[in-house]
PDB file of all heavy atoms in Angstrom:
ATOM      1  N   THR A  76     -12.464   8.948   0.636  1.00 93.00           N
ATOM      2  CA  THR A  76     -12.708   8.322  -0.660  1.00 93.00           C
ATOM      3  C   THR A  76     -13.203   9.431  -1.569  1.00 93.00           C
ATOM      4  O   THR A  76     -14.024  10.249  -1.154  1.00 93.00           O
ATOM      5  CB  THR A  76     -13.796   7.238  -0.533  1.00 93.00           C
ATOM      6  OG1 THR A  76     -13.396   6.298   0.464  1.00 93.00           O
ATOM      7  CG2 THR A  76     -14.013   6.527  -1.851  1.00 93.00           C
ATOM      8  N   TYR A  77     -12.688   9.471  -2.792  1.00 90.00           N
ATOM      9  CA  TYR A  77     -13.128  10.479  -3.763  1.00 90.00           C
ATOM     10  C   TYR A  77     -13.897   9.793  -4.879  1.00 90.00           C
ATOM     11  O   TYR A  77     -13.621   8.639  -5.205  1.00 90.00           O
ATOM     12  CB  TYR A  77     -11.916  11.204  -4.353  1.00 90.00           C
ATOM     13  CG  TYR A  77     -11.384  12.330  -3.490  1.00 90.00           C
ATOM     14  CD1 TYR A  77     -11.336  12.243  -2.109  1.00 90.00           C
ATOM     15  CD2 TYR A  77     -10.895  13.483  -4.072  1.00 90.00           C
ATOM     16  CE1 TYR A  77     -10.829  13.262  -1.331  1.00 90.00           C
ATOM     17  CE2 TYR A  77     -10.376  14.508  -3.304  1.00 90.00           C
ATOM     18  CZ  TYR A  77     -10.348  14.402  -1.937  1.00 90.00           C
ATOM     19  OH  TYR A  77      -9.849  15.423  -1.178  1.00 90.00           O
ATOM     20  N   PRO A  78     -14.821  10.515  -5.512  1.00 86.00           N
ATOM     21  CA  PRO A  78     -15.551   9.918  -6.640  1.00 86.00           C
ATOM     22  C   PRO A  78     -14.581   9.561  -7.760  1.00 86.00           C
ATOM     23  O   PRO A  78     -13.670  10.325  -8.060  1.00 86.00           O
ATOM     24  CB  PRO A  78     -16.507  11.016  -7.094  1.00 86.00           C
ATOM     25  CG  PRO A  78     -16.371  12.138  -6.146  1.00 86.00           C
ATOM     26  CD  PRO A  78     -15.213  11.891  -5.257  1.00 86.00           C
ATOM     27  N   ARG A  79     -14.757   8.408  -8.352  1.00 73.00           N
ATOM     28  CA  ARG A  79     -13.854   7.967  -9.418  1.00 73.00           C
ATOM     29  C   ARG A  79     -13.894   8.885 -10.623  1.00 73.00           C
ATOM     30  O   ARG A  79     -12.913   9.059 -11.317  1.00 73.00           O
ATOM     31  CB  ARG A  79     -14.208   6.553  -9.850  1.00 73.00           C
ATOM     32  CG  ARG A  79     -13.918   5.560  -8.773  1.00 73.00           C
ATOM     33  CD  ARG A  79     -14.353   4.193  -9.180  1.00 73.00           C
ATOM     34  NE  ARG A  79     -14.564   3.460  -7.942  1.00 73.00           N
ATOM     35  CZ  ARG A  79     -14.499   2.179  -7.853  1.00 73.00           C
ATOM     36  NH1 ARG A  79     -14.279   1.458  -8.895  1.00 73.00           N
ATOM     37  NH2 ARG A  79     -14.688   1.585  -6.701  1.00 73.00           N
ATOM     38  N   SER A  80     -15.043   9.467 -10.888  1.00 65.00           N
ATOM     39  CA  SER A  80     -15.184  10.319 -12.062  1.00 65.00           C
ATOM     40  C   SER A  80     -14.901  11.787 -11.747  1.00 65.00           C
ATOM     41  O   SER A  80     -15.024  12.632 -12.616  1.00 65.00           O
ATOM     42  CB  SER A  80     -16.595  10.188 -12.619  1.00 65.00           C
ATOM     43  OG  SER A  80     -17.533  10.600 -11.635  1.00 65.00           O
ATOM     44  N   GLY A  81     -14.511  12.068 -10.528  1.00 60.00           N
ATOM     45  CA  GLY A  81     -14.309  13.454 -10.119  1.00 60.00           C
ATOM     46  C   GLY A  81     -13.035  14.067 -10.660  1.00 60.00           C
ATOM     47  O   GLY A  81     -12.089  13.378 -11.040  1.00 60.00           O
ATOM     48  N   ALA A  82     -13.007  15.378 -10.697  1.00 58.00           N
ATOM     49  CA  ALA A  82     -11.857  16.115 -11.200  1.00 58.00           C
ATOM     50  C   ALA A  82     -10.653  16.013 -10.270  1.00 58.00           C
ATOM     51  O   ALA A  82      -9.535  16.312 -10.666  1.00 58.00           O
ATOM     52  CB  ALA A  82     -12.239  17.580 -11.387  1.00 58.00           C
ATOM     53  N   TYR A  83     -10.869  15.595  -9.020  1.00 63.00           N
ATOM     54  CA  TYR A  83      -9.790  15.556  -8.042  1.00 63.00           C
ATOM     55  C   TYR A  83      -9.049  14.219  -8.016  1.00 63.00           C
ATOM     56  O   TYR A  83      -8.128  14.034  -7.243  1.00 63.00           O
ATOM     57  CB  TYR A  83     -10.330  15.874  -6.642  1.00 63.00           C
ATOM     58  CG  TYR A  83     -10.929  17.251  -6.566  1.00 63.00           C
ATOM     59  CD1 TYR A  83     -12.291  17.428  -6.540  1.00 63.00           C
ATOM     60  CD2 TYR A  83     -10.114  18.376  -6.567  1.00 63.00           C
ATOM     61  CE1 TYR A  83     -12.851  18.698  -6.486  1.00 63.00           C
ATOM     62  CE2 TYR A  83     -10.649  19.644  -6.517  1.00 63.00           C
ATOM     63  CZ  TYR A  83     -12.021  19.807  -6.483  1.00 63.00           C
ATOM     64  OH  TYR A  83     -12.562  21.061  -6.438  1.00 63.00           O
ATOM     65  N   GLY A  84      -9.465  13.272  -8.831  1.00 70.00           N
ATOM     66  CA  GLY A  84      -8.801  11.972  -8.846  1.00 70.00           C
ATOM     67  C   GLY A  84      -9.184  11.138  -7.649  1.00 70.00           C
ATOM     68  O   GLY A  84     -10.152  11.420  -6.965  1.00 70.00           O
ATOM     69  N   SER A  85      -8.410  10.111  -7.397  1.00 86.00           N
ATOM     70  CA  SER A  85      -8.740   9.216  -6.287  1.00 86.00           C
ATOM     71  C   SER A  85      -8.017   9.650  -5.015  1.00 86.00           C
ATOM     72  O   SER A  85      -7.253  10.606  -5.013  1.00 86.00           O
ATOM     73  CB  SER A  85      -8.382   7.774  -6.647  1.00 86.00           C
ATOM     74  OG  SER A  85      -6.997   7.639  -6.800  1.00 86.00           O
ATOM     75  N   ALA A  86      -8.286   8.913  -3.938  1.00 93.00           N
ATOM     76  CA  ALA A  86      -7.707   9.214  -2.637  1.00 93.00           C
ATOM     77  C   ALA A  86      -7.315   7.901  -1.957  1.00 93.00           C
ATOM     78  O   ALA A  86      -7.524   6.815  -2.507  1.00 93.00           O
ATOM     79  CB  ALA A  86      -8.722   9.978  -1.790  1.00 93.00           C
ATOM     80  N   LEU A  87      -6.783   8.001  -0.749  1.00 95.00           N
ATOM     81  CA  LEU A  87      -6.341   6.818  -0.007  1.00 95.00           C
ATOM     82  C   LEU A  87      -7.484   5.821   0.175  1.00 95.00           C
ATOM     83  O   LEU A  87      -7.283   4.614   0.034  1.00 95.00           O
ATOM     84  CB  LEU A  87      -5.760   7.230   1.350  1.00 95.00           C
ATOM     85  CG  LEU A  87      -5.252   6.102   2.237  1.00 95.00           C
ATOM     86  CD1 LEU A  87      -4.168   5.282   1.533  1.00 95.00           C
ATOM     87  CD2 LEU A  87      -4.737   6.667   3.548  1.00 95.00           C
ATOM     88  N   GLY A  88      -8.683   6.300   0.465  1.00 95.00           N
ATOM     89  CA  GLY A  88      -9.829   5.397   0.625  1.00 95.00           C
ATOM     90  C   GLY A  88     -10.068   4.561  -0.615  1.00 95.00           C
ATOM     91  O   GLY A  88     -10.353   3.368  -0.530  1.00 95.00           O
ATOM     92  N   ASN A  89      -9.922   5.163  -1.791  1.00 93.00           N
ATOM     93  CA  ASN A  89     -10.077   4.420  -3.045  1.00 93.00           C
ATOM     94  C   ASN A  89      -9.035   3.305  -3.138  1.00 93.00           C
ATOM     95  O   ASN A  89      -9.345   2.181  -3.535  1.00 93.00           O
ATOM     96  CB  ASN A  89      -9.921   5.344  -4.256  1.00 93.00           C
ATOM     97  CG  ASN A  89     -10.894   6.489  -4.243  1.00 93.00           C
ATOM     98  OD1 ASN A  89     -10.685   7.451  -3.509  1.00 93.00           O
ATOM     99  ND2 ASN A  89     -11.943   6.413  -5.035  1.00 93.00           N
ATOM    100  N   ARG A  90      -7.805   3.625  -2.782  1.00 94.00           N
ATOM    101  CA  ARG A  90      -6.729   2.625  -2.845  1.00 94.00           C
ATOM    102  C   ARG A  90      -6.976   1.494  -1.851  1.00 94.00           C
ATOM    103  O   ARG A  90      -6.786   0.328  -2.167  1.00 94.00           O
ATOM    104  CB  ARG A  90      -5.378   3.272  -2.575  1.00 94.00           C
ATOM    105  CG  ARG A  90      -4.232   2.278  -2.724  1.00 94.00           C
ATOM    106  CD  ARG A  90      -2.885   2.894  -2.576  1.00 94.00           C
ATOM    107  NE  ARG A  90      -2.638   3.774  -3.708  1.00 94.00           N
ATOM    108  CZ  ARG A  90      -1.638   4.631  -3.753  1.00 94.00           C
ATOM    109  NH1 ARG A  90      -0.804   4.742  -2.743  1.00 94.00           N
ATOM    110  NH2 ARG A  90      -1.466   5.391  -4.802  1.00 94.00           N
ATOM    111  N   LEU A  91      -7.422   1.840  -0.639  1.00 96.00           N
ATOM    112  CA  LEU A  91      -7.717   0.810   0.351  1.00 96.00           C
ATOM    113  C   LEU A  91      -8.847  -0.094  -0.130  1.00 96.00           C
ATOM    114  O   LEU A  91      -8.769  -1.325  -0.004  1.00 96.00           O
ATOM    115  CB  LEU A  91      -8.086   1.449   1.695  1.00 96.00           C
ATOM    116  CG  LEU A  91      -6.967   2.217   2.395  1.00 96.00           C
ATOM    117  CD1 LEU A  91      -7.521   3.003   3.575  1.00 96.00           C
ATOM    118  CD2 LEU A  91      -5.854   1.291   2.831  1.00 96.00           C
ATOM    119  N   LEU A  92      -9.900   0.503  -0.686  1.00 95.00           N
ATOM    120  CA  LEU A  92     -11.017  -0.290  -1.195  1.00 95.00           C
ATOM    121  C   LEU A  92     -10.568  -1.262  -2.282  1.00 95.00           C
ATOM    122  O   LEU A  92     -11.047  -2.389  -2.354  1.00 95.00           O
ATOM    123  CB  LEU A  92     -12.122   0.620  -1.730  1.00 95.00           C
ATOM    124  CG  LEU A  92     -12.917   1.376  -0.663  1.00 95.00           C
ATOM    125  CD1 LEU A  92     -13.692   2.530  -1.291  1.00 95.00           C
ATOM    126  CD2 LEU A  92     -13.839   0.431   0.093  1.00 95.00           C
ATOM    127  N   ALA A  93      -9.634  -0.848  -3.104  1.00 94.00           N
ATOM    128  CA  ALA A  93      -9.174  -1.683  -4.216  1.00 94.00           C
ATOM    129  C   ALA A  93      -8.162  -2.742  -3.792  1.00 94.00           C
ATOM    130  O   ALA A  93      -8.112  -3.823  -4.376  1.00 94.00           O
ATOM    131  CB  ALA A  93      -8.557  -0.804  -5.303  1.00 94.00           C
ATOM    132  N   LYS A  94      -7.379  -2.471  -2.739  1.00 95.00           N
ATOM    133  CA  LYS A  94      -6.231  -3.341  -2.483  1.00 95.00           C
ATOM    134  C   LYS A  94      -6.125  -3.968  -1.093  1.00 95.00           C
ATOM    135  O   LYS A  94      -5.466  -4.983  -0.946  1.00 95.00           O
ATOM    136  CB  LYS A  94      -4.948  -2.574  -2.764  1.00 95.00           C
ATOM    137  CG  LYS A  94      -4.888  -2.069  -4.184  1.00 95.00           C
ATOM    138  CD  LYS A  94      -3.488  -1.790  -4.611  1.00 95.00           C
ATOM    139  CE  LYS A  94      -3.454  -1.254  -6.018  1.00 95.00           C
ATOM    140  NZ  LYS A  94      -3.173  -2.250  -6.997  1.00 95.00           N
ATOM    141  N   LEU A  95      -6.707  -3.373  -0.054  1.00 97.00           N
ATOM    142  CA  LEU A  95      -6.516  -3.904   1.301  1.00 97.00           C
ATOM    143  C   LEU A  95      -7.460  -5.074   1.547  1.00 97.00           C
ATOM    144  O   LEU A  95      -8.684  -4.932   1.461  1.00 97.00           O
ATOM    145  CB  LEU A  95      -6.734  -2.808   2.350  1.00 97.00           C
ATOM    146  CG  LEU A  95      -6.376  -3.185   3.784  1.00 97.00           C
ATOM    147  CD1 LEU A  95      -4.899  -3.584   3.915  1.00 97.00           C
ATOM    148  CD2 LEU A  95      -6.688  -2.028   4.731  1.00 97.00           C
TER     149      LEU A  95
END
Side-chain angles (χ1 to χ4, degrees):
T76 304
Y77 278 38
R79 292 176 204 204
S80 61
Y83 299 105
S85 65
L87 180 58
N89 303 78
R90 184 175 292 168
L91 294 170
L92 288 164
K94 301 202 181 263
L95 188 60

